[in-house]
């Protein structure tokens, strides 16, 4: 198929699953995508991962939901059409879209390849752009500006790669930015869910010593035998936690439930860093004394920019890193959300869009 320029053509019919209210129940939904513009890439979606933020959003737990909402920002597929000014992609290419589909492209953050920190970024679903809502990957196809398209290397399977576009970059980016990527460093990972298991895999590939910190003693075998962690701490075991005090260079905290970070501050060395990537609903308490007396840093990190996301994807291809997934049909999505609420998945649900989503 040749490149196209549909600037004046009508929107294209699309279909997927949407929630209509804060019950979060998802059901079939018909909507429109814009026609492929001159810098756009259109692609048929093959798989879409289910992120915990999808669940937060459709239930309006953050108070910012707009309905109907088609979630999904871990999207992979195959290019079907490209705009006349597209230079990086062609029909048949393997591509993905993560958390962003547009940014202002003119601010300092955008100039520094930090589109995810642009004050006017457009998220993949739930953004209002000139009166039109963005719809995510629980749908049959996608249209996106080529700048926000990620190339998927041939050796990575689509299904296990989809979660890298959110869960993967959300842990890769802080490891890199906070300098916790040097071989031989000791890094703790709090929580062994979708983000946590990816943090273990990327950290090990970077040559780090990795300790998983969890409330669940029964996750020890998973962490060490299945994922390759070096050590395991039960956060409620005072003796274990005391024995590990001051041993870590940094911690990636992936937990979305409300929890205390005071015990984590004790685990890191002087100048150590505790980096938050989970999003608890309630504010965390931060005592000044342990931060000041240990010259410790509590930081945060969102998903990375487009350049770094591509770097992460290429790193994953080099080290054969994919998510541990459970592939589901689209009509199972509501059950999957109920199970996700109970952390009953190892470690990411991925929807088989191509084979199970029908008009």
């Amino acid at each position: 198929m040749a490149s196209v320029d549909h600037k004046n053509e009508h929107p294209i019919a699309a279909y997927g699953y949407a929630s209509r209210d804060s019950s979060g129940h998802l059901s079939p939904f018909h909507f429109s995508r814009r026609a492929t513009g001159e810098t756009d890439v259109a692609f048929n979606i093959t798989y879409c991962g289910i992120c915990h933020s999808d669940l937060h959003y459709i239930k309006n737990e953050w108070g910012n939901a707009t309905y109907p909402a088609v979630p999904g920002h871990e999207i992979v597929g195959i290019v079907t059409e490209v705009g006349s000014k597209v230079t990086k992609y062609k029909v048949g290419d393997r591509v993905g879209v993560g958390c962003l589909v547009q940014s202002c492209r003119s601010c300092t953050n955008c100039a520094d390849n930090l589109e995810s920190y642009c004050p006017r970024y457009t998220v993949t679903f739930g953004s209002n752009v000139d009166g039109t809502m963005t719809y995510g990957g629980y749908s049959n196809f996608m249209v996106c500006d080529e700048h926000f398209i990620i190339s998927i290397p041939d050796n990575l399977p689509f299904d296990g790669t989809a979660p890298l576009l959110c869960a993967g970059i959300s842990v890769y980016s802080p490891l890199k930015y906070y300098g916790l990527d040097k071989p031989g460093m000791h890094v703790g990972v709090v929580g062994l869910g979708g983000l946590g298991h990816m943090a273990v895999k990327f950290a090990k590939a970077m040559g780090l010593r990795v300790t998983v910190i969890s409330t669940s003693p029964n996750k020890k075998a998973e962490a060490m035998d299945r994922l390759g962690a070096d050590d395991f701490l039960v956060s409620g075991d005072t003796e274990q936690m005391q024995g590990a005090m001051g041993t870590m260079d940094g911690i990636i905290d992936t937990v979305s439930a409300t929890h205390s970070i005071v015990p984590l501050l004790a685990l890191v060395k002087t100048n150590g860093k505790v980096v938050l990537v989970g999003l608890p609903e309630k504010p965390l308490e931060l005592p000044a004394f342990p931060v000041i007396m240990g010259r410790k840093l509590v930081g945060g990190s969102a998903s990375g920019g487009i350049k770094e996301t591509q770097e992460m994807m290429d790193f994953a291809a080099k080290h054969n890193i994919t998510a541990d997934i459970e592939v589901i049909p689209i009509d199972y999505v509501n059950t999957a959300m109920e199970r996700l609420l109970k952390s009953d998945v190892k470690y990411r649900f991925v929807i088989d869009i191509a084979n199970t989503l029908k008009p």
Side-chain angles (χ1 to χ4, degrees), residues 127-277:
S127 277
N128 189 319
V129 183
D130 299 325
T132 302
M133 294 304 300
T134 57
Y135 294 119
Y138 297 15
S139 57
N140 64 319
F141 81 99
M142 188 95 185
V143 179
C144 182
D145 187 284
E146 74 166 330
H147 179 80
F148 295 87
I149 297 279
I150 304 300
S151 176
I152 308 296
D154 289 339
N155 68 311
L156 290 177
F158 266 145
D159 52 2
T161 298
L164 299 185
L165 291 158
C166 173
I169 186 58
S170 293
V171 295
Y172 179 91
S173 186
L175 286 168
K176 298 292 284 188
Y177 175 75
Y178 287 99
L180 299 173
D181 60 341
K182 310 299 185 292
M185 278 186 160
H186 184 189
V187 170
V189 175
V190 187
L192 200 62
L195 270 68
H197 93 287
M198 293 309 312
V200 174
K201 291 189 177 194
F202 276 108
K204 288 302 297 179
M206 291 171 181
L208 310 184
R209 177 185 169 194
V210 180
T211 295
V212 170
I213 305 152
S214 175
T215 58
S216 306
N218 59 3
K219 288 190 176 181
K220 181 175 182 178
E222 299 170 28
M224 299 185 71
D225 300 339
R226 179 172 171 172
L227 298 173
D230 300 286
D231 297 291
F232 186 88
L233 293 177
V234 178
S235 56
D237 187 317
T238 304
E239 187 176 338
Q240 284 187 26
M241 294 292 280
Q242 286 180 344
M245 285 177 61
T247 62
M248 300 178 194
D249 297 287
I251 287 175
I252 304 295
D253 183 354
T254 72
V255 174
S256 292
T258 302
H259 62 291
S260 174
I261 63 170
V262 177
L264 306 181
L265 287 167
L267 295 177
V268 296
K269 302 173 182 176
T270 301
N271 303 322
K273 302 162 185 176
V274 176
V275 185
L276 310 179
V277 296

Side-chain angles (χ1 to χ4, degrees), residues 47-55 72-74 99 138 159-171 192-198 201 226 254 256 277 322-328 336 339-340 343-351:
Y47 293 92
C48 183
I50 297 180
C51 177
H52 210 284
S53 61
D54 296 351
L55 180 59
H73 58 208
E74 299 179 343
C99 302
Y138 297 15
D159 52 2
T161 298
L164 299 185
L165 291 158
C166 173
I169 186 58
S170 293
V171 295
L192 200 62
L195 270 68
H197 93 287
M198 293 309 312
K201 291 189 177 194
R226 179 172 171 172
T254 72
S256 292
V277 296
T322 56
D324 288 12
I325 60 170
E326 180 177 334
V327 177
I328 62 166
R339 287 178 54 193
L340 181 60
S343 301
D344 178 24
V345 59
K346 292 181 181 153
Y347 289 92
R348 205 67 153 183
F349 287 115
V350 174
I351 306 168

Side-chain angles (χ1 to χ4, degrees), residues 19 28 30 34 38 48 112 116 134 139 198 203 226 280 289 318 322 332 335:
S19 65
H30 289 260
R34 70 174 183 266
E38 59 187 12
C48 183
D112 289 339
S116 52
T134 57
S139 57
M198 293 309 312
R226 179 172 171 172
F289 197 85
K318 180 179 179 181
T322 56
Y332 186 78
T335 303

